Every structure is written in C-alpha cells, then in structure tokens.
C-alpha cells in the first residue's frame, strides 16, 4: 500500500494582492467539486488578462497553482440556511467589495417551496451587513433529475433581486442556469471543466457590466462590454 501525501486545504494566512475584494460564496459548486478551484480558475485568469486586480476572500482555500488566489467561501453540501447562519461573521472578517452568490442546489432535495424565502432572507442579511458591496445573485445551474424544482426556484430569483434593487440595494441578477446544460455536468450536479469555464464567463460578463464591482477607477487593458453599464440599485438579466 502506498500512502497518499495529504494536500493542504487551508493556508497559514489568507492570500491577498491588495486588489478589489471579491467573495465567491456558496456550496460545493463554489468550492469546485470535481475540479478543485471550479469556476474561480478561469475567472481569475480572465481578471488577469483583463488587467483587473482582484483579491478573492473567504475562510476556505483550494485550487491549482494556475489559480492565483485560492481563498473562497464555498462549503460542500451546505444549504441556504447554513450559509445564512454564518455569513455575517464571514462578511465582517473579510469586508468584501463584491459577493458572488450561487446557492440553493442542496435545497432542491425534498420540499423546495421555502427555498426562495430563505434566499431572500440571505440576500437581505448580506446587504444589511455589507451595504456598500455589490451582490451578484445567480440562478442555480441545471441539475439532473430535478429540473422542475430548479426551474421553480430560479423563477423566483429575478423578483427577489428586482425588489431589493428597487429599494436601493446593490443587488444584481446573473442568469447562470442558461449558461450551462446538463452536458456540462460531471455527475448530474457539479460542472465538469467546461461547465466551470462557462460559469466563469457568466460571472465575468456580469461583473464587467457593473462599474466598480471589480475596480474600474482606471480603465482595464481590454475594451469594456458594448452593453450599457448597470448602475448600482438596478437589476438586469444577463444574457449569454
């Protein structure tokens, strides 16, 4: 028997390059199940090539060397309620400028009727704790064998986002469901490498549409998107 060499999953201290603090927040899809680092790998590479200086923040840590900053706040198996119970402490510890929220997949088992209400509570807790942060709320990606549940949950998310945006909250919608298909999943739940790259593209396009969410005080090295920028306090469905 050959003993496996354990790989460290937690750093001695959080990585930081002094850039705009972005918190990837969610469950195993944020953590990067199947592909350690998940969508954060491609997203980081897009930031780098686009001239953006970003500091991923969170209490978790994983991913390959090609991911320049391994910090995140993704927790495998966690539900909306579990994230909600801990998010205040995480936000206070890291003070993110931007939050990328993809959560609800683990709520699609059993009775899903209360999931939108739980998400609304979580979004309110985030915006109340970090009122100056831009919060990007994604519809969840497809899930094999549970499309009706996923569609029902996702259908409620635009209204949750729009009502908060209308009240002046810095909340934005990302249509992640349409960015992937079942063929982009490795196991019916978690994306494969291609699926994670598609998620990264969706996040990146949404972030670039909101001035300041990933910097922007100085122009990036690549041209800005051709669509008009989304102002804080407005919601718009991103198309891919």
């Amino acid at each position: 028997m050959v003993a496996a060499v354990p790989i460290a999953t937690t750093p001695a201290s959080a990585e930081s390059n002094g850039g705009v603090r972005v918190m990837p927040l969610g469950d195993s899809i944020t953590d990067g199940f199947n592909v350690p680092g998940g969508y954060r790998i491609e997203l980081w590479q897009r930031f780098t090539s686009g001239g953006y200086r970003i500091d991923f923040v969170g209490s978790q840590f994983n991913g390959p060397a090609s991911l320049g900053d391994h910090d995140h706040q993704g927790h495998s198996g966690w539900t909306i309620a579990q994230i909600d119970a801990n998010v205040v402490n995480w936000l206070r510890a890291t003070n993110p400028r931007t939050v990328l929220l993809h959560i609800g997949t683990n709520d699609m088992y059993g009775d899903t009727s209360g999931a939108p209400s739980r998400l609304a509570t979580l979004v309110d807790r985030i915006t109340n704790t970090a009122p100056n942060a831009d919060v990007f709320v994604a519809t969840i990606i497809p899930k094999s064998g549970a499309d009706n549940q996923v569609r029902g949950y996702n259908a409620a998310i635009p209204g949750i986002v729009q009502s908060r945006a209308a009240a002046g909250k810095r909340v934005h919608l990302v249509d992640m469901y349409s960015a992937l298909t079942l063929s982009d999943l490795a196991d019916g739940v978690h994306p494969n490498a291609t699926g994670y790259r598609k998620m990264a593209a969706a996040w990146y396009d949404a972030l670039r549409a909101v001035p300041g969410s990933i910097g922007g005080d100085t122009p990036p090295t690549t041209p800005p998107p051709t669509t008009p920028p989304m102002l804080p306090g407005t919601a718009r469905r991103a198309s891919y």
Side-chain angles (χ1 to χ4, degrees), residues 37-74:
Y39 70 74
R40 293 176 284 115
I41 302 170
E42 173 72 14
L43 184 55
W44 177 265
Q45 293 170 355
R46 285 174 178 258
F47 288 149
T48 300
S49 62
Y52 294 98
R53 191 176 182 189
I54 302 299
D55 178 15
F56 281 146
V57 297
S59 63
Q60 306 300 295
F61 180 95
N62 77 337
S66 58
L67 173 56
D69 190 328
H70 300 79
D71 301 324
H72 66 93
Q73 204 66 71

Side-chain angles (χ1 to χ4, degrees), residues 97 127 130-137 161 164-165 167-172 210-213 231-234:
R97 170 63 179 79
T127 57
N132 295 320
D134 280 298
V135 182
F136 291 80
V137 183
V161 171
R164 273 70 185 171
K169 305 294 185 181
R170 304 170 68 101
V171 183
H172 317 279
V210 179
S213 64
L231 299 176
T234 63

